[in-house]
Amino acid sequence: TWYGKRPLWMLVLSGGGITIIWLAAGYGLTQNIWLPVVEPTAGFLLAGALVTAQKALYRSTYDPLSGLPGRELFLIQVQQALSAQKGTVSVAFLDLDRFRLINQSFGHVSGDRVLAILASRLRQVLPTATSLARVGGDEFAILFTAPRETVERSIAAIQTAFANPISVQHYRLSVTVSVGLAVVQAGYEAGPEELLRDAHTAMYRAKALQEYRCETFATNMREAAIERLCLESNLLTALDNQEFLLHYQPIVDLNTGQLSGFEALVRWRPPGRAVISPAEFMPIVEETGLILPLGQWIFQRACRQLKDWQQEFPDLPLTMSINLSRRQLRQPDLLGQIETILTQVGIDGSQLQLEITESLVMQDVEAARELMYGLKQLGFRLAIDDFGTGYSSLSYLHKFPTDTLKVDQSFVSRIDTSHEDWEIVQTILALGHKLHMNLVAEGIEKASQISLLRQIGCESGQGFYFSRPLSSRQATALLRGDSLWPLPAAADSAVKR
Ligand code: C2E
Ligand code: CA
Ligand code: CA
């Protein structure tokens, strides 16, 4: 009964057993032999029920695959350690890296086998005084009551043990693990769930940092997690509550000092708080998919603004640059949506420039190329943003119908101090010009940078030297003035090594 896998099978077996007893007793009667049947039947049933109940209990507390305790039992053990009130209590949370990949490529049976092997390795390397549990699919938790050094030594031993290759279907793979550690002193008042949660939070941090495979929980991690959750929930209503706004950073012609256009940059102003920069909220907006409605709003807002300016300043040839993000590019009906907005606002694509970062373009060259050709047909100008940071494959560059390369700020900011960066920018410029692209240097903060950029014929620039991103009102005021920047002369000598 204990090894029987399925309850139904057990029922059939017991039923069969009881039937045999009754048949034997019935046969006995005909032979004048008295066989008692009630007692063995009752015994049979009782034993079956007890074993089933115990098995159910075991299943709910132990994981059948690894034979390790499950989450419930582990929490009880942590609680006991916490209430023992002596020394330090540490909980380590282990999560296998890329385990999904193993499941996907070799199937769940192999995945289970790998888990069972790893569980037995864990049991081998851990000191006897620790409790080990499987708390999730590819997650293990360990409870230590030993001093910190022992804990760290054990974790190092686990990492070494896991690195030892496992053969799965003729492949040999080694598994890495991210570890989060939460350490508390005896008398810790929060419960075991909290301790496990903190270890979990630290594990996420370890995963994010990648090369540091073990991270210890610090209270600011919890704050960061809560902060993030808070941001996320506030962001969900931000669009409806009209808390987003666009700022516009001037892009300046480096030959004339004349304003040539603006880049639209989104900002978020939650009620009663300071403006939050896109670097902070864009990743969340992307992850939650909120970027789709937000991206549409940004596009619409920027187009309307450009239209307003065109009407007020018909003599100024202005371009508006708009950033596109990862999720937006994957949207199947992006082109349709954009086209609708263009007709609604009554503007044509040629005064709009769409910026796509280099890393996005290079992630999926074919898809990017196809999309770019589609956008080109709507008349847009296209720019590759943050150029130089995305491991470009230069041989692809000419395949894209791009008009502009935006040289990343990290190079521009150092051209006047680092010979290498100066060389890189010169090379990017030469390359861009060969491919008939317009070059924009991002993040110009000093006159000396402009001199150098002018010397090598960079067409446009953008940066705090000219202007920070401006509100719509400030930008309009700028347009009403003469919006001309005095430029320093082109440098005549290169940067010294
Ligand atoms: P980006 O597209 O590279 O935008 C340029 C960023 O550099 C802006 O930061 C701008 O304020 C900043 N910057 C400009 N000149 C200087 C300078 O001289 N010195 C320094 N230190 N910084 C300068 P911001 O507005 O915080 O935007 C950050 C990033 O967020 C943008 O990088 C872009 O990738 C993303 N982003 C901003 N707005 C949007 C948007 O509307 N849609 C999408 N998809 N992404 C956006
Ligand atoms: Ca940009
Ligand atoms: Ca950029």
Side-chain angles (χ1 to χ4, degrees):
T1 313
W2 184 256
Y3 288 105
K5 284 256 187 303
R6 292 182 207 89
L8 194 66
W9 189 225
M10 275 159 52
L11 200 70
V12 170
L13 280 181
S14 331
I18 293 169
T19 315
I20 290 171
I21 292 173
W22 281 74
L23 287 177
Y27 178 72
L29 269 187
T30 62
Q31 305 297 314
N32 272 343
I33 304 169
W34 170 247
L35 284 178
V37 288
V38 176
E39 292 88 342
T41 304
F44 222 106
L45 288 174
L46 194 63
L50 278 176
V51 170
T52 313
Q54 188 171 357
K55 205 164 160 178
L57 191 68
Y58 179 84
R59 281 238 177 95
S60 70
T61 43
Y62 280 82
D63 159 48
L65 175 71
S66 57
L68 293 175
R71 188 188 199 92
E72 302 302 316
L73 194 56
F74 183 73
L75 288 175
I76 295 172
Q77 289 167 339
V78 175
Q79 179 62 60
Q80 281 164 354
L82 285 176
S83 39
Q85 299 269 347
K86 57 176 196 297
T88 51
V89 176
S90 320
V91 168
F93 197 105
L94 280 67
D95 185 287
L96 305 181
D97 299 326
R98 300 178 306 131
F99 186 70
R100 198 154 35 114
L101 211 65
I102 298 183
N103 262 338
Q104 279 169 355
S105 32
F106 300 110
H108 286 259
V109 177
S110 299
D112 284 355
R113 211 170 66 81
V114 171
L115 280 175
I117 292 174
L118 293 176
S120 80
R121 285 190 189 170
L122 273 176
R123 250 182 304 215
Q124 274 164 17
V125 296
L126 286 176
T128 39
T130 56
S131 316
L132 173 64
R134 181 171 173 221
V135 291
D138 60 345
E139 298 164 342
F140 296 94
I142 308 168
L143 165 68
F144 296 94
T145 43
R148 185 67 187 265
E149 303 79 62
T150 318
V151 173
E152 276 167 9
R153 226 175 307 124
S154 299
I155 289 173
I158 293 170
Q159 283 163 335
T160 321
F162 277 20
N164 199 356
I166 299 175
S167 0
V168 182
Q169 299 177 9
H170 314 299
Y171 291 92
R172 286 164 71 73
L173 29 108
S174 79
V175 179
T176 57
V177 60
S178 300
V179 185
L181 195 62
V183 185
V184 290
Q185 296 303 317
Y188 175 70
E189 65 282 5
E193 281 97 358
E194 281 69 22
L195 199 55
L196 191 62
R197 179 202 60 202
D198 290 350
H200 193 199
T201 309
M203 182 280 294
Y204 266 114
R205 175 113 186 113
K207 261 218 201 306
L209 292 177
Q210 280 177 4
E211 65 265 49
Y212 299 110
R213 300 246 171 236
C214 178
E215 272 290 307
T216 305
F217 179 79
T219 34
N220 63 2
M221 287 184 193
R222 186 184 315 144
E223 279 149 21
I226 292 173
E227 167 90 353
R228 150 121 205 179
L229 215 64
C230 194
L231 269 186
E232 197 173 311
S233 84
N234 288 341
L235 270 171
L236 287 177
T237 51
L239 193 59
D240 291 335
N241 298 346
Q242 307 185 332
E243 291 164 16
F244 290 108
L245 58 152
L246 288 188
H247 277 183
Y248 304 92
Q249 187 174 37
I251 298 175
V252 176
D253 185 325
L254 290 186
N255 291 316
T256 60
Q258 205 104 41
L259 176 77
S260 65
F262 289 98
E263 175 175 1
L265 295 161
V266 68
R267 301 285 179 265
W268 176 30
R269 194 169 43 200
R273 283 185 61 178
V275 171
I276 299 180
S277 95
E280 221 169 304
F281 67 81
M282 264 305 175
I284 307 179
V285 163
E286 276 269 306
E287 228 170 87
T288 53
L290 194 68
I291 185 64
L292 302 182
L294 177 62
Q296 214 170 352
W297 178 87
I298 292 171
F299 197 82
Q300 213 156 21
R301 187 76 210 86
C303 287
R304 291 245 158 81
Q305 181 66 74
L306 182 63
K307 180 81 182 177
D308 288 351
W309 283 335
Q310 283 175 344
Q311 282 168 346
E312 190 174 342
F313 314 101
D315 302 333
L316 288 179
L318 287 178
T319 15
M320 178 72 82
S321 290
I322 302 173
N323 293 287
L324 288 183
S325 72
R326 185 185 312 268
R327 273 290 259 280
Q328 277 177 293
L329 292 178
R330 299 241 169 95
Q331 242 179 316
D333 62 337
L334 180 70
L335 291 179
Q337 274 182 21
I338 287 182
E339 212 171 353
T340 317
I341 297 176
L342 289 184
T343 6
Q344 271 172 3
V345 182
I347 207 169
D348 79 60
S350 64
Q351 286 123 345
L352 292 167
Q353 172 157 283
L354 300 182
E355 300 190 357
I356 306 175
T357 61
E358 183 190 24
S359 45
L360 269 185
V361 171
M362 292 301 161
Q363 236 169 35
D364 188 348
V365 171
E366 274 316 307
R369 212 166 87 92
E370 196 178 312
L371 184 78
M372 282 178 158
Y373 274 102
L375 289 169
K376 214 57 220 160
Q377 274 181 351
L378 294 177
F380 288 110
R381 297 175 58 80
L382 296 177
I384 297 189
D385 203 357
D386 303 346
F387 192 78
T389 59
Y391 305 106
S392 226
S393 176
L394 293 183
S395 54
Y396 285 135
L397 205 54
H398 72 277
K399 289 194 177 183
F400 300 116
T402 347
D403 307 274
T404 304
L405 279 189
K406 297 192 81 169
V407 186
D408 192 67
Q409 177 172 335
S410 54
F411 302 111
V412 176
S413 65
R414 290 190 300 250
I415 48 173
D416 51 344
T417 51
S418 145
H419 187 77
E420 281 74 25
D421 287 299
W422 170 234
E423 294 273 330
I424 291 173
V425 170
Q426 275 181 293
T427 313
I428 294 178
L429 228 81
L431 177 75
H433 283 158
K434 278 246 160 60
L435 298 173
H436 310 291
M437 294 183 194
N438 184 30
L439 271 292
V440 179
E442 298 193 283
I444 300 179
E445 293 183 353
K446 293 190 263 178
S448 55
Q449 294 162 348
I450 301 177
S451 307
L452 287 167
L453 289 164
R454 274 163 63 91
Q455 182 203 332
I456 51 172
C458 180
E459 289 85 2
S460 310
Q462 176 184 358
F464 294 170
Y465 177 83
F466 300 112
S467 165
R468 289 187 174 258
L470 304 171
S471 69
S472 158
R473 195 147 41 84
Q474 290 169 318
T476 310
L478 179 79
L479 287 167
R480 292 206 179 113
D482 59 0
S483 56
L484 188 71
W485 281 271
L487 294 175
D492 46 14
S493 65
V495 191
K496 287 182 200 71
R497 218 176 244 281

